Amino acid sequence: MSYEMIALFMFASMMALLLTGQRVFGVIGAVAVIFALPLWGTGGVEIAFAQSIKLMKWYPLLTLPMFIFMGYMLSESRIADDLYRMFHVWFGPVPGGLAIGTIFLMVVISAMNGLSVAGMAIGATIALPELLRRGYDKLMITGVVQGGASLGILIPPSVVLVLYGMIARQPVSQLWLAGVFPGLLMATLFIVYIAVRCQLQPHLGPPLPKAERDAISWKERISLLRAGILPFMIFFLMNGLFLMGYTSLVESSAVGALSSMAAALIKGRLSREVMENVMRKTLGISCMFMWIILAALCFGAVFDGLGAVRAIETFFIGQLGLEPWHVLILMQLSFLLMGTFLDDTAMLVIVAPLYVPLVKLLGFDLVWYGILYTITCQIAYMTPPFGYNLFLMRAMAPPEIKLRHIYLSVIPFVAIMLLTLVIVMMFPQLALWLPQHFQGKLQG
């Protein structure tokens, strides 16, 4: 059997086993080790050990538990509640203002935790009930929370980009910087959509009643701005010191984790219960991601050893005569298709061994492609029937939000994400300018 057929059989075996409902990391790692044994004999067992050593020696991986810890600390200590109250008062008088304030809240939370689940939990439990009480349209605000929560995996510090950086062997600092402008662009498009639609259809997002606005004094409004001081300080200490070159990537993550603890302590909310919940959740998520990365590295080592990537390049470019851009578009379309039934980490570990080397062979920038992949993951989070955010929303939303509302609400926000994807593909410098500007100035 040729190496190309072995690679195809290996890929098909993995997809078949995934349909059995087994854990993703178990399926991918098992397929890699099982195929390594007949290909390279007893030496094949060394692949898993070699990749685990590579994983443990990858220093930037230390950022993963730090940022996960920070995100859960901000959530469990209810600092996000204070932020939402601030946005509620300042944006309430504008049609759709509370929905716009929710997007701003999601941007701030995303800039401090790097996880979609943290933003979803805050949006569904804090913002959504308040928006419903204020008479906002169910479909629109359900989409607002889901779309806003997805920003967590694009705006730094993105945990998904840490995973991509490990598998694609790209500097995480460059990937994070590359996600800044695309993430802010997407958030801006969300806000423009909400503002325009609520201006045309005011009943979808009514402003705060005048009597309620008048009841809030300017002194109280100014004092509410203090809710943004602690998050701003965390953001500055974590990202500002990093961009100015005072801290390395890992040191920056440690500063963020310690700052979030200090903020909870200042607020008087750092209880034993909060600390225990944060530690348990951080350990569980970190271990899950590490197993997934290890499985992906094993699978990629075997797949790369078979020369499958070169064979696929020959097939697409040589035999089918496709241009590199045509191949790239087909790859993105396959991501969108897989996103209807797989989550972001599953997609990454399944296709990264194939797509990442192919992107490099086609002459595209792997940092830029990481942003394309992440935007596609955001779309996957929100596309039926198995979008991750759809399930989270179903579990956390109030009873009046039905599954029909959850599925229909994502349509305009998925369209905006697709528009952002097209813009970043057409204008790569949107993602690449910032990392190129800071190249050589950052530690780690």
Side-chain angles (χ1 to χ4, degrees):
M1 186 182 293
S2 67
Y3 280 169
E4 289 83 358
M5 287 302 298
I6 295 173
L8 183 62
F9 186 56
M10 182 178 174
F11 199 79
S13 301
M14 179 187 63
M15 295 301 295
L17 286 173
L18 284 172
L19 294 176
T20 65
Q22 299 299 316
R23 294 186 183 275
V24 171
F25 74 85
V27 167
I28 296 172
V31 168
V33 173
I34 290 170
F35 273 81
L37 288 173
L39 285 169
W40 293 290
T42 54
V45 299
E46 300 293 333
I47 285 181
F49 293 107
Q51 299 308 313
S52 62
I53 294 300
K54 180 190 292 186
L55 178 67
M56 295 302 169
K57 289 172 64 178
W58 194 59
Y59 186 58
L61 189 67
L62 288 172
T63 61
L64 194 63
M66 297 289 189
F67 285 124
I68 294 171
F69 176 91
M70 180 175 63
Y72 280 120
M73 179 60 72
L74 293 169
S75 176
E76 294 289 328
S77 60
R78 304 191 314 279
I79 290 175
D81 299 39
D82 303 335
L83 274 173
Y84 186 69
R85 172 65 179 161
M86 180 186 74
F87 288 125
H88 171 87
V89 169
W90 280 93
F91 287 92
V94 181
L98 296 184
I100 294 172
T102 301
I103 295 295
F104 274 105
L105 174 68
M106 297 296 187
V107 171
V108 175
I109 296 300
S110 298
M112 293 187 295
N113 69 66
L115 286 170
S116 173
V117 65
M120 177 62 75
I122 291 165
T125 58
I126 300 172
L128 194 57
E130 181 67 18
L131 290 166
L132 287 171
R133 191 174 71 83
R134 298 288 179 180
Y136 273 63
D137 180 69
K138 290 180 185 177
L139 284 180
M140 187 182 74
I141 61 174
T142 305
V144 165
V145 171
Q146 294 183 86
S150 71
L151 294 169
I153 66 171
L154 181 58
I155 295 176
S158 165
V159 171
V160 170
L161 286 175
V162 174
L163 300 182
Y164 175 85
M166 176 65 190
I167 295 172
R169 299 173 188 174
Q170 296 299 305
V172 176
S173 57
Q174 298 287 302
L175 290 165
W176 279 353
L177 290 174
V180 171
F181 288 148
L184 294 178
L185 171 64
M186 188 179 294
T188 302
L189 292 175
F190 285 164
I191 291 169
V192 169
Y193 163 73
I194 295 166
V196 171
R197 192 170 179 197
C198 289
Q199 197 68 40
L200 297 175
Q201 299 173 289
H203 65 280
L204 296 180
L208 288 180
K210 188 176 187 302
E212 187 173 343
R213 296 201 304 268
D214 293 341
I216 305 171
S217 66
W218 276 102
K219 182 179 179 181
E220 184 180 354
R221 294 183 189 186
I222 298 298
S223 68
L224 282 170
L225 290 175
R226 290 183 297 181
I229 294 176
L230 282 177
F232 175 77
M233 290 300 296
I234 294 172
F235 180 79
F236 173 76
L237 289 171
M238 182 180 64
N239 291 325
L241 295 177
F242 173 59
L243 292 176
M244 289 187 293
Y246 290 112
T247 59
S248 68
L249 182 68
V250 175
E251 291 167 349
S252 175
S253 68
V255 167
L258 290 173
S259 299
S260 65
M261 281 185 64
L265 186 62
I266 291 169
K267 288 285 187 178
R269 299 169 185 170
L270 189 61
S271 64
R272 179 176 178 177
E273 182 185 2
V274 166
M275 197 68 185
E276 184 176 342
N277 288 339
V278 171
M279 295 294 284
R280 285 182 181 275
K281 291 177 180 179
T282 300
L283 182 62
I285 296 293
S286 299
C287 290
M288 179 192 73
F289 279 134
M290 289 185 71
W291 276 112
I292 288 173
I293 296 172
L294 178 59
L297 291 175
C298 292
F299 190 89
V302 177
F303 215 64
D304 190 47
L306 292 170
V309 176
R310 183 67 67 178
I312 292 171
E313 183 203 18
T314 303
F315 174 73
F316 278 118
I317 305 251
Q319 297 182 26
L320 295 183
L322 298 177
E323 295 293 327
W325 270 99
H326 296 156
V327 179
L328 185 73
I329 292 171
L330 287 175
M331 291 161 67
Q332 293 308 110
L333 290 174
S334 71
F335 265 136
L336 293 174
L337 179 62
M338 284 187 289
T340 60
F341 60 92
L342 292 173
D343 63 23
D344 59 323
T345 49
M347 284 197 300
L348 182 60
V349 297
I350 288 170
V351 299
L354 179 65
Y355 282 8
V356 169
L358 184 57
V359 168
K360 189 174 182 179
L361 285 171
L362 293 173
F364 294 111
D365 190 288
L366 287 178
V367 171
W368 169 70
Y369 185 73
I371 303 305
L372 299 186
Y373 158 76
T374 307
I375 296 174
T376 311
C377 283
Q378 291 180 281
I379 298 170
Y381 267 45
M382 296 174 60
T383 46
F386 299 117
Y388 188 56
N389 276 9
L390 303 177
F391 290 132
L392 286 175
M393 176 60 76
R394 187 71 186 93
M396 299 177 184
E400 56 264 43
I401 301 293
K402 307 298 182 186
L403 192 61
R404 177 177 63 86
H405 299 133
I406 294 172
Y407 277 15
L408 291 175
S409 68
V410 301
I411 294 173
F413 292 90
V414 168
I416 291 172
M417 290 176 178
L418 286 169
L419 174 62
T420 307
L421 179 65
V422 171
I423 292 173
V424 176
M425 289 180 72
M426 292 175 62
F427 305 100
Q429 283 302 115
L430 191 64
L432 295 178
W433 181 84
L434 203 57
Q436 288 173 353
H437 179 73
F438 282 97
Q439 194 167 17
K441 301 179 184 179
L442 303 179
Q443 301 180 46

